Amino acid sequence: MRIFIIDDDPFIRHLMGHQLSELSQAQVYEFDGGVSAMDAITREHHADDLIICDLHMPDKDGVELVRELGQIGFKGGLVLVSGEDARILQTVERLAQGLGLRLLDALQKPVSRHRLEQILQLNRERDLPQTRRKAPPLPANELKQALSRNELINHYQPKVSVRSGEVTGVETLVRWDHPRDGLIYPDRFIAQAEELGLMDPLTFAVLRRALDDAARWHQQGIELQVAVNISMDNLDALDFPERIEHELKQRGLPPTSLMLEVTESRLMRNRLESMDILSRLRLKRVGLSIDDFGTGHSSLAQLRDLPFNELKIDQSFVHGVSHHASLRSIFEGCLSMAQKLGLHTVAEGVEDATDWAFLQYSGCDTAQGWFIARAMPPEQLPHWLQQWQQRRTALIQPAEE
Ligand code: C2E
Ligand code: CA
Ligand code: CA
């Protein structure tokens, strides 16, 4: 293993170099600028190399360096360090992830010895949970076949009350159980279904299955509101509310047992029609949620024009909220706006105990994310519910007297 420290400040550079030599057996190389460092790294680089790089350097800044590391396909670990504004660091962090680099950490100076130890440990555990790779879309005819052959299946991710830990509902997430490739995630076929005009059959296939499962749970004494994702493409036909109502009635389910999560995946084509449709859905008491709030797909204009009763704060503002001041401001801004509008609030992407602990005092109503549960097949849900009953008591802060 080799460690490259790139920093134009000699004091910091030597200090980190010294600490890292003490903490590991690695060869430590120090560079006072990006140009000489990139020369050396381009010549030779290995998957167990570790680069610790300051963002602000006079000859070649950290952003250029990150870009070039992406270009040469650097496979080692990368740590970004900055004395700058935490927001710049966050942006470059996203850039590095987008370029497929194995970013271990993004830190503000000064870096403690303890943190360096943790970084070395992380670099040794080379197989960090990777974010799912975006694979190419599948052939168009296959998606049509998938629909006719019933290869789309539903998984469900629980939504729980932040205050009581009670499970209030589940979100339906579609998967394609592909006969050759196994389970395929929606990021590989939803956009394609939209382009091919298949969103109507897809949505109704998912919705019918979700309502079937909800009706079955109801019979078993499990009351859950099911959420189904719809795209703006679904809001083209004016009879959409009646069709939804029909599906509910057929199974004897009340309209309040359904929540529709709406995102604007493409440009909203027909604003007036969607206002008409969504208003009538609300009049029928079906729940409407504005999904991924805060991203380009969900705007303030939508919030102004459409009758939502729930707002889901996008996961990119939730995970890590307790230790990033800017995320916290955005999160709290979304939350307070939603509360003033009388909307039920959901935080999605609650990934760890720190995210959960933050929510306990935030005033947000509902939490969803891997910390609570990953999406699961319907038959696993009853067992998960039992396990959660045991776990939840330990997770809830006792109410103040
Ligand atoms: P979404 O509606 O924002 O769904 C949440 C996504 O985040 C899901 O990915 C879920 O598995 C993932 N997730 C949940 N908890 C966590 C967490 O703690 N951390 C992280 N990093 N991720 C978490 P999935 O299932 O791959 O779905 C991706 C998107 O596909 C969904 O995003 C939704 O927009 C779309 N989608 C899924 N099913 C349907 C559907 O039936 N119809 C439509 N129109 N879109 C769907
Ligand atoms: Ca959703
Ligand atoms: Ca979402």
Side-chain angles (χ1 to χ4, degrees), residues 218-229:
H218 175 77
Q219 279 164 9
Q220 298 169 6
I222 303 171
E223 296 301 336
L224 292 173
Q225 184 186 55
V226 289
V228 171
N229 289 287

Side-chain angles (χ1 to χ4, degrees), residues 274-284 288 305 307:
S274 42
M275 283 160 129
D276 177 317
I277 292 169
L278 293 175
S279 308
R280 278 187 299 122
L281 281 166
R282 273 309 286 150
L283 286 173
K284 293 180 193 297
L288 286 185
D305 295 341

Side-chain angles (χ1 to χ4, degrees), residues 281-344:
L281 281 166
R282 273 309 286 150
L283 286 173
K284 293 180 193 297
R285 304 266 180 278
V286 170
L288 286 185
S289 177
I290 179 165
D291 203 356
D292 302 337
F293 189 74
T295 68
H297 297 153
S298 283
S299 62
L300 291 171
Q302 276 189 311
L303 201 55
R304 178 196 61 199
D305 295 341
L306 302 170
F308 295 106
N309 62 312
E310 178 184 277
L311 180 145
K312 291 187 88 172
I313 302 176
D314 189 66
Q315 46 181 277
S316 59
F317 306 122
V318 175
H319 175 50
V321 61
S322 60
H323 40 268
H324 289 296
S326 58
L327 289 191
R328 197 178 175 133
S329 309
I330 299 171
F331 180 91
E332 286 169 352
C334 291
L335 195 69
S336 115
M337 188 174 58
Q339 285 164 341
K340 284 181 190 139
L341 292 169
L343 302 175
H344 183 93

Side-chain angles (χ1 to χ4, degrees), residues 246-260:
H246 173 73
E247 298 294 343
L248 286 160
K249 277 197 179 135
Q250 267 197 328
R251 295 163 181 85
L253 292 167
T256 45
S257 64
L258 178 64
M259 173 68 80
L260 297 175

